[in-house]
Amino acid sequence: MTKPPTSTPETGSAEDFLRLDRQLCFSLNAASRAFGAVYRNLLKDLGLTYPQYLVMLALWEHGELPVKRLGELLRLDSGTLSPLLKRLESGGLVRRERSAHDERSVIVGVTPAGTALRERAALVPRRIMAATGFDLHEAAELRALLDRLTLALDDAALDTAPPCD
């Protein structure tokens, strides 16, 4: 009787590949949930949820943006983005208005209250970095790997998408 080959991380057996602790998606999900918990604590003082914080980051960085472009930057569809913007607008942090050049387009901009919030939010990234225990180099390496992963998965999603009729 021959002994089955010993598995390695590169050539693991089918059974090894089905282990929860071998799932990249699970590790990413667990890290995302852990990030969410830390962000929830940091952002409650700002009165923001994590998705609202991302909207504000994009607007602070880019200035006024069409809703469509904001959705592209945040990788959010309009069904998810619209309620976020509505809550931020009702909180006085952003304003939405129809584009003067294209009535179909809605432009989102930061209000003075939203601009004032930026100064208080400036501490969040430093606290997040401290929570990770990573130095700037490690954080940049991880971000680069995650960006590469995202591109690969975007390409794979396009390659495996069912054909359109």
Side-chain angles (χ1 to χ4, degrees):
M1 182 181 331
T2 61
K3 188 175 177 184
T6 307
S7 64
T8 67
E10 297 82 21
T11 64
S13 70
E15 188 173 308
D16 285 344
F17 281 121
L18 292 176
R19 290 176 43 128
L20 182 60
D21 65 355
R22 294 288 307 268
Q23 306 305 306
L24 183 57
C25 58
F26 181 73
S27 294
L28 286 168
N29 186 55
S32 178
R33 292 176 60 83
F35 260 118
V38 174
Y39 271 105
R40 214 172 358 270
N41 288 334
L42 293 175
L43 296 175
K44 71 180 169 195
D45 293 337
L46 301 178
L48 296 174
T49 63
Y50 179 69
Q52 291 169 340
Y53 173 69
L54 295 180
V55 168
M56 296 305 295
L57 286 175
L59 293 173
W60 290 328
E61 180 179 347
H62 298 282
E64 290 185 344
L65 288 170
V67 171
K68 181 177 181 178
R69 178 66 184 134
L70 185 57
E72 290 167 354
L73 286 170
L74 299 175
R75 300 177 64 98
L76 295 174
D77 60 46
S78 63
T80 302
L81 187 55
S82 291
L84 283 173
L85 294 174
K86 188 174 185 177
R87 285 192 299 276
L88 287 168
E89 187 174 38
S90 69
L93 299 175
V94 302
R95 61 175 164 46
R96 295 181 293 172
E97 54 193 40
R98 294 264 170 217
S99 168
H101 304 292
D102 181 357
E103 283 291 315
R104 298 168 296 171
S105 180
V106 174
I107 306 297
V108 182
V110 178
T111 64
T115 300
L117 186 63
R118 186 176 194 264
E119 189 174 317
R120 291 178 44 215
L123 295 175
V124 172
R126 287 192 174 119
R127 290 183 176 160
I128 291 294
M129 281 296 295
T132 67
F134 290 170
D135 63 30
L136 292 175
H137 178 73
E138 290 170 319
E141 284 181 333
L142 178 58
R143 212 173 23 256
L145 282 171
L146 291 171
D147 289 346
R148 195 173 105 204
L149 175 64
T150 300
L151 285 172
L153 293 175
D154 283 347
D155 288 346
L158 291 175
D159 291 345
T160 61
C164 297
D165 291 336

mmCIF file of all heavy atoms in Angstrom, residues 54-55 58-59 61-62 65-82 84-85 105-106 108 150-151 154:
data_model
loop_
_atom_site.group_PDB
_atom_site.id
_atom_site.type_symbol
_atom_site.label_atom_id
_atom_site.label_comp_id
_atom_site.label_asym_id
_atom_site.label_seq_id
_atom_site.Cartn_x
_atom_site.Cartn_y
_atom_site.Cartn_z
ATOM 1 N N LEU A 54 -16.200 56.802 4.587
ATOM 2 C CA LEU A 54 -15.584 56.645 3.266
ATOM 3 C C LEU A 54 -16.087 57.707 2.292
ATOM 4 O O LEU A 54 -15.305 58.245 1.499
ATOM 5 C CB LEU A 54 -15.868 55.243 2.715
ATOM 6 C CG LEU A 54 -15.248 54.080 3.474
ATOM 7 C CD1 LEU A 54 -15.629 52.755 2.810
ATOM 8 C CD2 LEU A 54 -13.746 54.224 3.587
ATOM 9 N N VAL A 55 -17.377 58.012 2.336
ATOM 10 C CA VAL A 55 -17.924 59.075 1.485
ATOM 11 C C VAL A 55 -17.227 60.393 1.799
ATOM 12 O O VAL A 55 -16.785 61.110 0.890
ATOM 13 C CB VAL A 55 -19.458 59.213 1.662
ATOM 14 C CG1 VAL A 55 -19.972 60.490 1.020
ATOM 15 C CG2 VAL A 55 -20.180 57.990 1.108
ATOM 16 N N ALA A 58 -13.649 60.537 0.469
ATOM 17 C CA ALA A 58 -13.610 60.776 -0.985
ATOM 18 C C ALA A 58 -13.895 62.237 -1.298
ATOM 19 O O ALA A 58 -13.228 62.840 -2.143
ATOM 20 C CB ALA A 58 -14.600 59.860 -1.697
ATOM 21 N N LEU A 59 -14.877 62.812 -0.629
ATOM 22 C CA LEU A 59 -15.216 64.213 -0.896
ATOM 23 C C LEU A 59 -14.145 65.165 -0.382
ATOM 24 O O LEU A 59 -13.845 66.175 -1.031
ATOM 25 C CB LEU A 59 -16.585 64.548 -0.290
ATOM 26 C CG LEU A 59 -17.764 63.834 -0.932
ATOM 27 C CD1 LEU A 59 -19.048 64.091 -0.149
ATOM 28 C CD2 LEU A 59 -17.931 64.232 -2.393
ATOM 29 N N GLU A 61 -11.043 64.535 -0.267
ATOM 30 C CA GLU A 61 -9.899 64.385 -1.171
ATOM 31 C C GLU A 61 -10.158 64.999 -2.543
ATOM 32 O O GLU A 61 -9.290 65.672 -3.102
ATOM 33 C CB GLU A 61 -9.561 62.904 -1.339
ATOM 34 C CG GLU A 61 -8.380 62.653 -2.254
ATOM 35 C CD GLU A 61 -8.040 61.177 -2.394
ATOM 36 O OE1 GLU A 61 -8.542 60.352 -1.602
ATOM 37 O OE2 GLU A 61 -7.253 60.863 -3.304
ATOM 38 N N HIS A 62 -11.346 64.760 -3.101
ATOM 39 C CA HIS A 62 -11.618 65.137 -4.489
ATOM 40 C C HIS A 62 -12.479 66.379 -4.654
ATOM 41 O O HIS A 62 -12.608 66.882 -5.762
ATOM 42 C CB HIS A 62 -12.295 63.972 -5.219
ATOM 43 C CG HIS A 62 -11.442 62.748 -5.296
ATOM 44 N ND1 HIS A 62 -10.412 62.610 -6.191
ATOM 45 C CD2 HIS A 62 -11.454 61.600 -4.562
ATOM 46 C CE1 HIS A 62 -9.830 61.430 -6.027
ATOM 47 N NE2 HIS A 62 -10.443 60.806 -5.040
ATOM 48 N N LEU A 65 -18.222 66.028 -6.383
ATOM 49 C CA LEU A 65 -18.195 64.903 -7.318
ATOM 50 C C LEU A 65 -19.613 64.556 -7.756
ATOM 51 O O LEU A 65 -20.545 64.635 -6.951
ATOM 52 C CB LEU A 65 -17.607 63.652 -6.647
ATOM 53 C CG LEU A 65 -16.122 63.624 -6.366
ATOM 54 C CD1 LEU A 65 -15.779 62.425 -5.485
ATOM 55 C CD2 LEU A 65 -15.335 63.564 -7.664
ATOM 56 N N PRO A 66 -19.762 64.126 -9.003
ATOM 57 C CA PRO A 66 -21.049 63.548 -9.398
ATOM 58 C C PRO A 66 -21.268 62.249 -8.619
ATOM 59 O O PRO A 66 -20.317 61.521 -8.314
ATOM 60 C CB PRO A 66 -20.881 63.252 -10.890
ATOM 61 C CG PRO A 66 -19.683 64.030 -11.325
ATOM 62 C CD PRO A 66 -18.818 64.202 -10.116
ATOM 63 N N VAL A 67 -22.512 61.959 -8.295
ATOM 64 C CA VAL A 67 -22.837 60.745 -7.550
ATOM 65 C C VAL A 67 -22.265 59.519 -8.260
ATOM 66 O O VAL A 67 -21.710 58.615 -7.613
ATOM 67 C CB VAL A 67 -24.362 60.607 -7.348
ATOM 68 C CG1 VAL A 67 -24.718 59.245 -6.774
ATOM 69 C CG2 VAL A 67 -24.878 61.706 -6.436
ATOM 70 N N LYS A 68 -22.358 59.504 -9.573
ATOM 71 C CA LYS A 68 -21.852 58.346 -10.326
ATOM 72 C C LYS A 68 -20.355 58.144 -10.076
ATOM 73 O O LYS A 68 -19.907 57.023 -9.830
ATOM 74 C CB LYS A 68 -22.124 58.529 -11.818
ATOM 75 C CG LYS A 68 -21.660 57.361 -12.651
ATOM 76 C CD LYS A 68 -22.001 57.534 -14.107
ATOM 77 C CE LYS A 68 -21.530 56.329 -14.895
ATOM 78 N NZ LYS A 68 -21.871 56.414 -16.295
ATOM 79 N N ARG A 69 -19.584 59.212 -10.121
ATOM 80 C CA ARG A 69 -18.133 59.106 -9.903
ATOM 81 C C ARG A 69 -17.831 58.706 -8.459
ATOM 82 O O ARG A 69 -16.931 57.909 -8.197
ATOM 83 C CB ARG A 69 -17.442 60.433 -10.257
ATOM 84 C CG ARG A 69 -15.953 60.427 -10.029
ATOM 85 C CD ARG A 69 -15.235 59.454 -10.958
ATOM 86 N NE ARG A 69 -13.827 59.413 -10.648
ATOM 87 C CZ ARG A 69 -13.116 58.294 -10.523
ATOM 88 N NH1 ARG A 69 -13.663 57.127 -10.730
ATOM 89 N NH2 ARG A 69 -11.843 58.357 -10.225
ATOM 90 N N LEU A 70 -18.575 59.255 -7.518
ATOM 91 C CA LEU A 70 -18.404 58.898 -6.114
ATOM 92 C C LEU A 70 -18.641 57.396 -5.926
ATOM 93 O O LEU A 70 -17.874 56.710 -5.246
ATOM 94 C CB LEU A 70 -19.358 59.720 -5.244
ATOM 95 C CG LEU A 70 -19.252 59.591 -3.742
ATOM 96 C CD1 LEU A 70 -17.858 59.930 -3.236
ATOM 97 C CD2 LEU A 70 -20.292 60.480 -3.068
ATOM 98 N N GLY A 71 -19.672 56.879 -6.547
ATOM 99 C CA GLY A 71 -19.958 55.443 -6.483
ATOM 100 C C GLY A 71 -18.834 54.613 -7.063
ATOM 101 O O GLY A 71 -18.488 53.552 -6.524
ATOM 102 N N GLU A 72 -18.247 55.092 -8.171
ATOM 103 C CA GLU A 72 -17.118 54.369 -8.771
ATOM 104 C C GLU A 72 -15.922 54.341 -7.825
ATOM 105 O O GLU A 72 -15.285 53.301 -7.650
ATOM 106 C CB GLU A 72 -16.715 55.027 -10.092
ATOM 107 C CG GLU A 72 -17.728 54.848 -11.199
ATOM 108 C CD GLU A 72 -17.467 55.757 -12.405
ATOM 109 O OE1 GLU A 72 -16.562 56.624 -12.348
ATOM 110 O OE2 GLU A 72 -18.199 55.605 -13.397
ATOM 111 N N LEU A 73 -15.615 55.479 -7.221
ATOM 112 C CA LEU A 73 -14.475 55.550 -6.300
ATOM 113 C C LEU A 73 -14.656 54.627 -5.103
ATOM 114 O O LEU A 73 -13.706 53.983 -4.646
ATOM 115 C CB LEU A 73 -14.283 56.980 -5.788
ATOM 116 C CG LEU A 73 -13.705 57.996 -6.757
ATOM 117 C CD1 LEU A 73 -13.810 59.404 -6.178
ATOM 118 C CD2 LEU A 73 -12.253 57.664 -7.077
ATOM 119 N N LEU A 74 -15.883 54.561 -4.597
ATOM 120 C CA LEU A 74 -16.168 53.775 -3.396
ATOM 121 C C LEU A 74 -16.603 52.352 -3.693
ATOM 122 O O LEU A 74 -16.810 51.570 -2.771
ATOM 123 C CB LEU A 74 -17.241 54.477 -2.562
ATOM 124 C CG LEU A 74 -16.873 55.866 -2.057
ATOM 125 C CD1 LEU A 74 -18.063 56.503 -1.361
ATOM 126 C CD2 LEU A 74 -15.672 55.804 -1.132
ATOM 127 N N ARG A 75 -16.772 52.045 -4.978
ATOM 128 C CA ARG A 75 -17.225 50.716 -5.406
ATOM 129 C C ARG A 75 -18.599 50.407 -4.811
ATOM 130 O O ARG A 75 -18.859 49.311 -4.323
ATOM 131 C CB ARG A 75 -16.203 49.641 -5.042
ATOM 132 C CG ARG A 75 -14.842 49.872 -5.698
ATOM 133 C CD ARG A 75 -13.809 48.865 -5.285
ATOM 134 N NE ARG A 75 -14.134 47.520 -5.703
ATOM 135 C CZ ARG A 75 -13.666 46.910 -6.787
ATOM 136 N NH1 ARG A 75 -12.827 47.529 -7.577
ATOM 137 N NH2 ARG A 75 -14.023 45.681 -7.073
ATOM 138 N N LEU A 76 -19.476 51.421 -4.850
ATOM 139 C CA LEU A 76 -20.841 51.286 -4.341
ATOM 140 C C LEU A 76 -21.829 51.592 -5.456
ATOM 141 O O LEU A 76 -21.613 52.520 -6.235
ATOM 142 C CB LEU A 76 -21.091 52.256 -3.183
ATOM 143 C CG LEU A 76 -20.284 52.041 -1.907
ATOM 144 C CD1 LEU A 76 -20.543 53.172 -0.919
ATOM 145 C CD2 LEU A 76 -20.604 50.700 -1.280
ATOM 146 N N ASP A 77 -22.933 50.849 -5.488
ATOM 147 C CA ASP A 77 -23.968 51.146 -6.473
ATOM 148 C C ASP A 77 -24.875 52.249 -5.929
ATOM 149 O O ASP A 77 -24.850 52.569 -4.733
ATOM 150 C CB ASP A 77 -24.766 49.893 -6.849
ATOM 151 C CG ASP A 77 -25.478 49.262 -5.666
ATOM 152 O OD1 ASP A 77 -26.120 49.996 -4.880
ATOM 153 O OD2 ASP A 77 -25.406 48.030 -5.531
ATOM 154 N N SER A 78 -25.673 52.822 -6.796
ATOM 155 C CA SER A 78 -26.503 53.964 -6.397
ATOM 156 C C SER A 78 -27.532 53.573 -5.340
ATOM 157 O O SER A 78 -27.898 54.394 -4.496
ATOM 158 C CB SER A 78 -27.185 54.591 -7.609
ATOM 159 O OG SER A 78 -28.054 53.657 -8.213
ATOM 160 N N GLY A 79 -27.978 52.322 -5.337
ATOM 161 C CA GLY A 79 -28.936 51.876 -4.334
ATOM 162 C C GLY A 79 -28.360 51.869 -2.929
ATOM 163 O O GLY A 79 -29.090 52.017 -1.950
ATOM 164 N N THR A 80 -27.059 51.700 -2.822
ATOM 165 C CA THR A 80 -26.375 51.741 -1.528
ATOM 166 C C THR A 80 -25.928 53.158 -1.204
ATOM 167 O O THR A 80 -26.033 53.605 -0.059
ATOM 168 C CB THR A 80 -25.144 50.803 -1.552
ATOM 169 O OG1 THR A 80 -25.585 49.485 -1.868
ATOM 170 C CG2 THR A 80 -24.414 50.799 -0.221
ATOM 171 N N LEU A 81 -25.457 53.869 -2.212
ATOM 172 C CA LEU A 81 -24.905 55.204 -2.007
ATOM 173 C C LEU A 81 -25.982 56.243 -1.698
ATOM 174 O O LEU A 81 -25.782 57.102 -0.830
ATOM 175 C CB LEU A 81 -24.097 55.618 -3.248
ATOM 176 C CG LEU A 81 -23.304 56.906 -3.163
ATOM 177 C CD1 LEU A 81 -22.359 56.906 -1.981
ATOM 178 C CD2 LEU A 81 -22.529 57.116 -4.461
ATOM 179 N N SER A 82 -27.112 56.175 -2.358
ATOM 180 C CA SER A 82 -28.157 57.191 -2.167
ATOM 181 C C SER A 82 -28.613 57.327 -0.720
ATOM 182 O O SER A 82 -28.687 58.450 -0.202
ATOM 183 C CB SER A 82 -29.348 56.915 -3.082
ATOM 184 O OG SER A 82 -28.967 57.145 -4.422
ATOM 185 N N LEU A 84 -26.932 56.597 1.956
ATOM 186 C CA LEU A 84 -25.797 57.162 2.700
ATOM 187 C C LEU A 84 -25.754 58.675 2.526
ATOM 188 O O LEU A 84 -25.585 59.426 3.495
ATOM 189 C CB LEU A 84 -24.476 56.592 2.173
ATOM 190 C CG LEU A 84 -24.065 55.203 2.573
ATOM 191 C CD1 LEU A 84 -22.826 54.776 1.802
ATOM 192 C CD2 LEU A 84 -23.794 55.140 4.051
ATOM 193 N N LEU A 85 -25.894 59.113 1.288
ATOM 194 C CA LEU A 85 -25.851 60.545 1.002
ATOM 195 C C LEU A 85 -27.029 61.272 1.643
ATOM 196 O O LEU A 85 -26.877 62.390 2.154
ATOM 197 C CB LEU A 85 -25.823 60.784 -0.509
ATOM 198 C CG LEU A 85 -24.565 60.291 -1.220
ATOM 199 C CD1 LEU A 85 -24.703 60.450 -2.725
ATOM 200 C CD2 LEU A 85 -23.325 61.015 -0.695
ATOM 201 N N SER A 105 -27.422 64.488 -13.835
ATOM 202 C CA SER A 105 -26.325 64.266 -12.900
ATOM 203 C C SER A 105 -26.543 65.049 -11.605
ATOM 204 O O SER A 105 -26.932 66.213 -11.632
ATOM 205 C CB SER A 105 -25.018 64.704 -13.553
ATOM 206 O OG SER A 105 -23.928 64.502 -12.685
ATOM 207 N N VAL A 106 -26.285 64.384 -10.475
ATOM 208 C CA VAL A 106 -26.354 65.027 -9.168
ATOM 209 C C VAL A 106 -24.932 65.175 -8.646
ATOM 210 O O VAL A 106 -24.151 64.219 -8.654
ATOM 211 C CB VAL A 106 -27.212 64.197 -8.184
ATOM 212 C CG1 VAL A 106 -27.167 64.796 -6.786
ATOM 213 C CG2 VAL A 106 -28.648 64.094 -8.684
ATOM 214 N N VAL A 108 -22.363 66.097 -5.520
ATOM 215 C CA VAL A 108 -22.298 66.060 -4.060
ATOM 216 C C VAL A 108 -21.092 66.875 -3.627
ATOM 217 O O VAL A 108 -20.002 66.737 -4.185
ATOM 218 C CB VAL A 108 -22.143 64.613 -3.537
ATOM 219 C CG1 VAL A 108 -22.138 64.588 -2.011
ATOM 220 C CG2 VAL A 108 -23.226 63.726 -4.086
ATOM 221 N N THR A 150 -7.584 42.688 -5.550
ATOM 222 C CA THR A 150 -8.834 43.258 -6.045
ATOM 223 C C THR A 150 -8.859 43.283 -7.565
ATOM 224 O O THR A 150 -9.857 42.893 -8.185
ATOM 225 C CB THR A 150 -9.043 44.674 -5.479
ATOM 226 O OG1 THR A 150 -9.087 44.589 -4.048
ATOM 227 C CG2 THR A 150 -10.334 45.301 -5.979
ATOM 228 N N LEU A 151 -7.766 43.709 -8.170
ATOM 229 C CA LEU A 151 -7.698 43.726 -9.640
ATOM 230 C C LEU A 151 -7.843 42.325 -10.221
ATOM 231 O O LEU A 151 -8.572 42.119 -11.198
ATOM 232 C CB LEU A 151 -6.384 44.347 -10.116
ATOM 233 C CG LEU A 151 -6.274 45.860 -9.993
ATOM 234 C CD1 LEU A 151 -4.847 46.310 -10.322
ATOM 235 C CD2 LEU A 151 -7.268 46.545 -10.904
ATOM 236 N N ASP A 154 -11.431 41.252 -9.815
ATOM 237 C CA ASP A 154 -12.281 41.972 -10.773
ATOM 238 C C ASP A 154 -12.166 41.330 -12.150
ATOM 239 O O ASP A 154 -13.170 41.105 -12.830
ATOM 240 C CB ASP A 154 -11.896 43.450 -10.864
ATOM 241 C CG ASP A 154 -12.390 44.276 -9.693
ATOM 242 O OD1 ASP A 154 -13.244 43.792 -8.917
ATOM 243 O OD2 ASP A 154 -11.913 45.421 -9.560
#
